[in-house]
């Protein structure tokens, strides 16, 4: 009867005395390391230099992390701006006493916006191609990275699902739970594996990488469609908006899906006049 119920009570970090190594942080590190190696293979295939790859890594890390953090604050926790401003940019909590927390509260919508901005700057300063050229390629490792980020959320017992109302689901013991919930984080992680595989296939096995904007658009449609539907079984991250027909994550996903469809089926790159 309880074979489909899992009691989840993991160790979140390793205490090294002077430092706590959080498994959530390890998931982010894993995402960036794997992403770097995938991009290295793509850059080698495209004849790009290692210097351009190293610069891309720096722009990506800074842009995605900063954007994810700012996105969380703006969309879900704006009170931090007035109550604990420095905790927005630093892995510490100052309100109520100094405490190392790691970078908690990272929003994927903010990361997506920041990725586009950082790739624009990177292209202008380093690559000198087009923004869509780089976006068509970086979305492949980004999709894989999203898998590990959601696994990290599961380890942290955060971004949890709604109660299943049955014996199926995960009981998040660290939250004081006794009833099973949907493991929404794992639903997303599982789906993102397929988003990655689809993008990987289209890049290596088809000519779609030559259609500027297509892979970027496909990424937006697939990833944010997954996010939109999984949100139906998630608890609202902002309690004040819990009674909305669609939650914040879903409303923010819709524009990305529309933009993705535009780049897949409508967008035509401008041709230079001779």
């Amino acid at each position: 009867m309880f074979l489909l119920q899992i009691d989840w009570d993991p160790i979140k970090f390793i205490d090294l005395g002077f430092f706590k190594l959080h498994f959530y942080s390890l998931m982010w590190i894993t995402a960036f390391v794997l992403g770097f190696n995938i991009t290295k293979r793509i850059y080698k295939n495209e004849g790009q230099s290692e210097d351009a790859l190293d610069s891309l890594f720096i722009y990506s890390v800074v842009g995605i992390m900063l954007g994810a953090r700012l996105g969380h604050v703006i969309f879900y926790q704006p009170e931090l701006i007035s109550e604990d401003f420095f905790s927005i940019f630093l892995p510490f909590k100052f309100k109520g006493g100094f405490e190392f927390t790691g970078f908690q509260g990272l929003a994927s919508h903010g990361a997506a916006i920041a990725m586009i901005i950082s790739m624009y700057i990177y292209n202008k300063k380093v690559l000198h191609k087009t923004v869509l050229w780089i976006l068509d390629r970086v979305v492949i490792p980004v999709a894989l990275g999203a898998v590990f980020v959601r696994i990290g959320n599961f380890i942290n017992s955060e971004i949890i699902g709604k109660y299943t109302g049955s014996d199926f689901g995960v009981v998040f013991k660290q939250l004081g739970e006794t009833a099973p919930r949907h493991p929404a984080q794992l639903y997303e992680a599982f789906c993102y594996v397929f988003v990655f595989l689809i993008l990987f296939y289209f890049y290596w096995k088809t000519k779609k990488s030559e259609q500027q904007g297509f892979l970027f658009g496909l990424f937006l449609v697939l990833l944010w469609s997954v996010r939109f539907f999984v949100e139906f079984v998630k608890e609202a991250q902002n309690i004040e908006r819990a009674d909305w027909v669609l939650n914040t994550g879903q409303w923010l996903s819709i524009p990305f899906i529309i933009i993705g469809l535009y780049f897949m089926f409508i967008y035509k790159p401008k041709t230079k006049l001779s």
Side-chain angles (χ1 to χ4, degrees), residues 244-263:
W244 287 13
V245 176
L246 299 177
N247 65 29
T248 305
Q250 289 172 312
W251 283 115
L252 292 172
S253 296
I254 292 172
F256 284 105
I257 295 171
I258 294 172
I259 293 170
L261 291 171
Y262 167 77
F263 278 110

Side-chain angles (χ1 to χ4, degrees), residues 75-143:
F75 299 136
Y76 299 105
Q77 206 175 1
E79 66 272 11
L80 280 182
I81 298 174
S82 59
E83 295 178 359
D84 200 359
F85 180 78
F86 292 104
S87 70
I88 297 174
F89 304 100
L90 300 173
F92 303 101
K93 177 176 74 69
F94 298 92
K95 183 181 179 182
F98 180 81
E99 179 186 350
F100 176 80
T101 59
F103 287 104
Q104 297 180 339
L106 302 170
S108 53
H109 296 91
I113 295 171
M115 181 186 74
I116 295 171
I117 295 172
S118 62
M119 289 305 97
Y120 170 80
I121 299 172
Y122 164 75
N123 180 67
K124 191 172 184 179
K125 297 288 186 180
V126 179
L127 202 61
H128 307 299
K129 283 183 171 287
T130 66
V131 179
L132 284 176
W133 186 95
I134 181 60
L135 287 175
D136 280 335
R137 286 147 182 82
V138 298
V139 292
I140 301 172
V142 167

Side-chain angles (χ1 to χ4, degrees), residues 118-185:
S118 62
M119 289 305 97
Y120 170 80
I121 299 172
Y122 164 75
N123 180 67
K124 191 172 184 179
K125 297 288 186 180
V126 179
L127 202 61
H128 307 299
K129 283 183 171 287
T130 66
V131 179
L132 284 176
W133 186 95
I134 181 60
L135 287 175
D136 280 335
R137 286 147 182 82
V138 298
V139 292
I140 301 172
V142 167
L144 181 60
V147 175
F148 292 94
V149 172
R150 282 297 179 249
I151 292 174
N153 294 140
F154 182 71
I155 293 172
N156 271 5
S157 299
E158 59 190 7
I159 312 181
I160 56 176
K162 297 177 180 177
Y163 291 114
T164 62
S166 68
D167 295 332
F168 168 78
V170 175
V171 179
F172 293 96
K173 291 291 187 178
Q174 293 182 352
L175 302 179
E177 299 276 309
T178 57
R181 292 177 177 270
H182 286 285
Q185 314 96 322

Side-chain angles (χ1 to χ4, degrees), residues 220-251:
L220 293 179
V221 171
L222 292 176
L223 187 131
W224 298 111
S225 292
V226 169
R227 177 69 185 272
F228 181 88
F229 288 108
V230 173
E231 288 289 328
F232 281 112
V233 297
K234 278 186 187 178
E235 286 286 5
Q237 294 185 59
N238 190 316
I239 302 300
E240 296 177 358
R241 306 169 192 167
D243 58 348
W244 287 13
V245 176
L246 299 177
N247 65 29
T248 305
Q250 289 172 312
W251 283 115

Side-chain angles (χ1 to χ4, degrees), residues 4 7 21-22 25 29-30 42 44 57 63 70-71 99 101 111 121 131 144 156 163 201 207 224 234 240 272 274:
L4 296 179
D7 291 340
L21 181 61
H22 289 257
S25 299
I29 293 171
T30 301
I42 292 173
K44 184 177 180 180
F57 183 76
L70 287 174
E99 179 186 350
T101 59
I121 299 172
V131 179
L144 181 60
N156 271 5
Y163 291 114
Y201 171 80
K207 296 291 185 180
W224 298 111
K234 278 186 187 178
E240 296 177 358
K272 294 182 178 180
S274 57

